[in-house]
Amino acid sequence: MVRAVATPETRSVRLLKVGEQVRHVISDLLTRQMVHDDVLSAHSVSVTEVRMSPDLRHATVFVKPLLGADEDLVLKALRTNTAFFQKEVAGKLRLKYAAKIRFQGDESFDEASRIDALLADPKVRRDLEE
């Protein structure tokens, strides 16, 4: 049986709420520089979204360093400190299971820039004005 792709409209409110709580905890840890890592201390990192699995055991955390600088370096530092983030999230949220966290770079900003560039193209603009 083929499983349907989960879209924001089909995900439950509980998944969205827990994802938002996880996002707040991780953002707070990064803002307060509670992670003892030189790379993370030197960069401002935005946690743009957290997607939870339906069983709340896995969390995919989408992050973007400020201005996209050193994204690979920041992702490596976050992945190195995954155990710390999992422990802190589990302690603060007190869920039945501690979510296994996976960090990924957020490509939505790059995609939005690409679409803006396409729309700014004179050929496309000419077609939109008609």
Side-chain angles (χ1 to χ4, degrees):
M1 185 170 153
V2 178
R3 204 180 238 188
V5 176
T7 62
E9 293 81 21
T10 60
R11 291 190 290 167
S12 75
V13 174
R14 176 158 170 76
L15 291 178
L16 296 172
K17 282 183 179 179
V18 172
E20 192 63 18
Q21 289 174 338
V22 171
R23 188 181 74 80
H24 280 284
V25 170
I26 293 174
S27 295
D28 189 46
L29 293 171
L30 290 170
T31 303
R32 294 178 186 223
Q33 296 185 350
M34 296 180 73
V35 185
H36 302 294
D37 189 292
D38 295 334
V39 174
L40 295 177
S41 296
H43 292 85
S44 293
V45 180
S46 296
V47 181
T48 56
E49 182 183 1
V50 176
R51 292 185 188 159
M52 300 298 297
S53 66
D55 61 359
L56 299 176
R57 290 186 186 214
H58 300 279
T60 303
V61 180
F62 293 94
V63 295
K64 188 75 170 178
L66 188 64
L67 303 175
D70 301 325
E71 186 169 352
D72 293 333
L73 194 62
V74 169
L75 279 172
K76 183 179 178 188
L78 287 167
R79 290 173 180 154
T80 302
N81 293 294
T82 300
F84 171 76
F85 287 109
Q86 288 177 182
K87 178 180 161 255
E88 290 295 318
V89 168
K92 292 192 178 177
L93 295 186
R94 298 180 188 177
L95 297 171
K96 186 174 183 180
Y97 300 104
K100 184 149 177 71
I101 295 175
R102 188 176 81 216
F103 290 99
Q104 276 191 322
D106 190 356
E107 303 300 327
S108 63
F109 295 108
D110 300 332
E111 186 67 19
S113 295
R114 187 183 71 78
I115 291 171
D116 283 342
L118 286 173
L119 292 174
D121 184 20
K123 294 176 185 176
V124 175
R125 190 177 311 146
R126 181 191 67 213
D127 292 341
L128 291 175
E129 291 173 357
E130 292 178 0

